[in-house]
């Protein structure tokens, strides 16, 4: 099917409205949705697939020629290999927080074109905040332009070190120890997408994770870059389908952080 040739701004407008609708649906089950485990500490609620289906159907209707990759139900609209445009979606990022009624989760939608995010939108329903970025168009929280932090000392820096059971705890502890020994404080708040938002908004100086999936970080990576930050080459190799290590930081500390985490 032919690819729709709407402008990036039209697509951004569409996806911003869709992320807000999806966030409203998700929020109906905040702290109450029935949940189960996909694996150790890998939570699934009844709402994750429902929200993903809403997003998938809306995108399929608006952009029928595009491929879609969602955390819960995988690929539709063609294969990822060779797809020009792929929508990469995490219906609920921070699901463990969401299931426990902790107010840190979001809907994350990115449009990846020729292997690079060109649009990224993240809706934080607990605070009704909509973050949006377009390649070359800046990163925004509503009408407020975002910029990374100017902090240039590790002993004044706050770094989020994301954690999952996909990598051994000892490797995560070793990375955290190196970052703390360099003087930074370390956080782990349970949403990779919102951790990247915090880097873009200048609330944190960096985000590092040994392995993360593309749906957790594709939108956030664009937000960080459009806010003046730096990131590693997350989409290298099979990053889109299989995930990769992730590093994002403000411009002043990125190189030091890359050496400390060994992820740059
Ligand atoms: C997880 C969160 C977490 C990150 C993990 C992700 P989920 O996604 O983003 O912060 O460290 O790598 O898997 O399970 O909440 O959708
Ligand atoms: Ca996720």
């Amino acid at each position: 099917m032919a690819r729709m040739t709407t402008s990036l701004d039209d697509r951004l407008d569409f996806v911003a409205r869709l992320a807000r609708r999806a966030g409203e649906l998700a929020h109906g089950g905040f702290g109450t949705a029935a949940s189960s485990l996909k694996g150790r500490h890998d939570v699934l609620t009844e709402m994750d697939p429902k929200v993903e289906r809403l997003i998938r159907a809306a995108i399929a209707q608006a952009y029928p020629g595009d491929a879609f990759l969602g955390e819960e139900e995988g690929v539709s609209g063609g294969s990822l290999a060779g797809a020009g445009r792929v929508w990469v979606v995490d219906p609920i990022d921070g699901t463990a927080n969401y299931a426990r009624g902790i107010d840190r989760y979001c809907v994350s939608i990115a449009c990846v074109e020729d292997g690079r995010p060109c649009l990224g939108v993240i809706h934080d329903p607990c605070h009704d905040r909509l973050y949006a970025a377009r390649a070359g168009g800046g990163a925004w929280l509503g009408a407020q332009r975002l910029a990374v932090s100017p902090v240039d000392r590790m002993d004044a820096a706050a770094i989020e070190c994301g954690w999952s059971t996909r990598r051994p705890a000892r490797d995560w502890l070793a990375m955290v120890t190196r970052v703390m020994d360099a003087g930074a404080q370390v956080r782990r708040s349970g949403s990779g997408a919102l951790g990247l938002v915090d880097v873009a908004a200048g609330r944190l100086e960096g985000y590092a994770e040994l392995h993360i999936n593309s749906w957790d970080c594709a939108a956030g990576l664009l937000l960080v870059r459009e806010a003046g930050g730096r990131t590693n080459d997350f989409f290298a190799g099979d990053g889109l389908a299989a995930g990769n290590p992730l590093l994002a930081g403000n411009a002043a500390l990125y190189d030091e952080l890359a050496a400390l985490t060994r992820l740059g």
Side-chain angles (χ1 to χ4, degrees):
M1 204 167 300
R3 187 196 285 185
M4 302 263 295
T5 54
T6 50
S7 74
L8 263 188
D9 283 331
D10 288 345
R11 268 189 277 157
L12 186 56
D13 186 53
F14 159 80
V15 79
R17 281 184 281 115
L18 178 57
R20 195 181 284 281
R21 252 175 76 206
E24 282 164 7
L25 173 63
H27 212 53
F30 176 54
T32 59
S35 66
S36 56
L37 285 178
K38 290 188 274 186
R40 188 167 70 94
H41 290 294
D42 192 3
V43 179
L44 175 71
T45 76
E46 60 184 340
M47 201 55 95
D48 296 70
K50 282 187 191 163
V51 176
E52 185 169 306
R53 280 175 208 149
L54 170 94
I55 300 170
R56 190 184 294 265
I59 290 176
Q61 189 177 18
Y63 300 106
D66 293 359
F68 184 102
L69 169 64
E71 169 162 12
E72 307 306 339
E73 295 183 343
V75 178
S76 59
S79 80
L80 295 185
R85 208 153 73 193
V86 185
W87 294 86
V88 181
V89 172
D90 195 338
I92 298 180
D93 185 55
T95 304
N97 288 342
Y98 173 83
R100 290 166 187 264
I102 297 170
D103 59 352
R104 190 169 173 84
Y105 81 93
C106 64
V107 176
S108 175
I109 307 178
C111 185
V112 173
E113 194 146 18
D114 301 324
R116 296 269 163 260
C118 57
L119 295 176
V121 171
I122 291 177
H123 183 235
D124 166 358
C126 293
H127 305 95
D128 193 20
R129 292 178 181 153
L130 187 80
Y131 299 91
R134 172 172 69 71
W140 300 84
L141 164 52
Q144 180 198 335
R145 190 158 188 162
L146 302 179
V148 295
S149 149
V151 167
D152 62 359
R153 295 171 52 147
M154 239 358 134
D155 63 359
I159 308 298
E160 177 147 2
C161 290
W163 171 86
S164 79
T165 54
R166 294 184 297 274
R167 290 293 179 270
R170 64 178 173 279
D171 294 353
W172 184 80
L173 289 167
M175 179 174 77
V176 166
T177 302
R178 292 193 301 275
V179 172
M180 293 189 82
D181 282 350
Q185 62 142 308
V186 163
R187 304 164 52 88
R188 193 261 158 182
S189 303
S191 164
L194 289 178
L196 290 168
V197 157
D198 281 343
V199 177
R203 303 175 193 134
L204 295 177
E205 279 65 45
Y207 186 99
E209 185 155 350
L210 298 169
H211 174 273
I212 195 162
N213 286 302
S214 60
W215 46 79
D216 300 310
C217 67
L221 281 168
L222 184 63
L223 279 153
V224 169
R225 282 203 292 270
E226 289 296 325
R230 291 174 60 192
T231 69
N232 68 335
D233 188 9
F234 173 82
F235 289 94
D238 204 16
L240 179 63
N244 256 334
L246 171 65
L247 183 66
N250 71 357
L253 288 173
Y254 183 85
D255 286 333
E256 196 175 342
L257 206 49
L260 286 170
T261 59
R262 302 170 188 165
L263 299 180

